[in-house]
Amino acid sequence: MGTTRAQPFRAAYPLPDQPWPAPDLTPYLEALAAAQTPAEIDAVTDHVLDAAEPALRALSDYLVAAARWKQENRDAAKGSPSHLLMTAASRALSALALADEAGLNRLRAAYDPAPALTASADASRGATASLPPAPPSTGPGPRR
């Protein structure tokens, strides 16, 4: 129905009939398959995210522009077309942020794990935890 009503508009503003070309992920997938460490996986993932970012940012920018069409986004109710488009724009970019966070978490887990507590560390921690706090200094205080 909308396509028929938009035919004169589409004739005046022809749009590409083909989808955007899909990126060739072969080098990324080959590198990912060869990765042996979390750092190597993260390096490949960072590279693919950097490559995808311009397209996702362009899509997000378009969705924001569509949401703002004729200022429909002002006071847009939850679930309205404008609100949904703004949400989609945000989520297009949040995919990058989530993937980046996953990489950082993987690196932290592999290379910066929480220190393992030993019996002597537990004992010394318990001893210092039971001591009262140090009294305040008796020297001159800071000048104001």
Side-chain angles (χ1 to χ4, degrees):
M1 181 170 139
T3 305
T4 304
R5 291 181 184 199
Q7 281 179 342
F9 176 82
R10 289 286 313 267
Y13 296 94
L15 302 172
D17 288 333
Q18 299 299 316
W20 293 343
D24 179 11
L25 294 179
T26 303
Y28 302 101
L29 294 172
E30 288 174 354
L32 183 61
Q36 298 295 312
T37 67
E40 292 170 350
I41 292 170
D42 191 63
V44 175
T45 302
D46 278 350
H47 200 82
V48 77
L49 293 176
D50 288 345
E53 191 269 339
L56 289 174
R57 185 159 304 282
L59 176 61
S60 177
D61 290 347
Y62 172 81
L63 293 171
V64 167
R68 290 180 174 166
W69 178 71
K70 294 190 177 185
Q71 298 183 348
E72 285 186 351
N73 62 310
R74 295 187 182 226
D75 301 320
K78 187 174 183 177
S80 69
S82 184
H83 181 266
L84 292 172
L85 287 167
M86 290 298 265
T87 301
S90 174
R91 288 183 182 174
L93 295 178
S94 67
L96 294 171
L98 286 171
D100 189 54
E101 183 179 353
L104 289 174
N105 288 347
R106 175 182 277 137
L107 291 173
R108 283 188 189 113
Y111 301 112
D112 192 19
L117 293 177
T118 62
S120 61
D122 282 339
S124 66
R125 181 191 291 209
T128 58
S130 64
L131 295 177
S137 171
T138 57
R143 295 180 183 237
R144 294 187 191 225

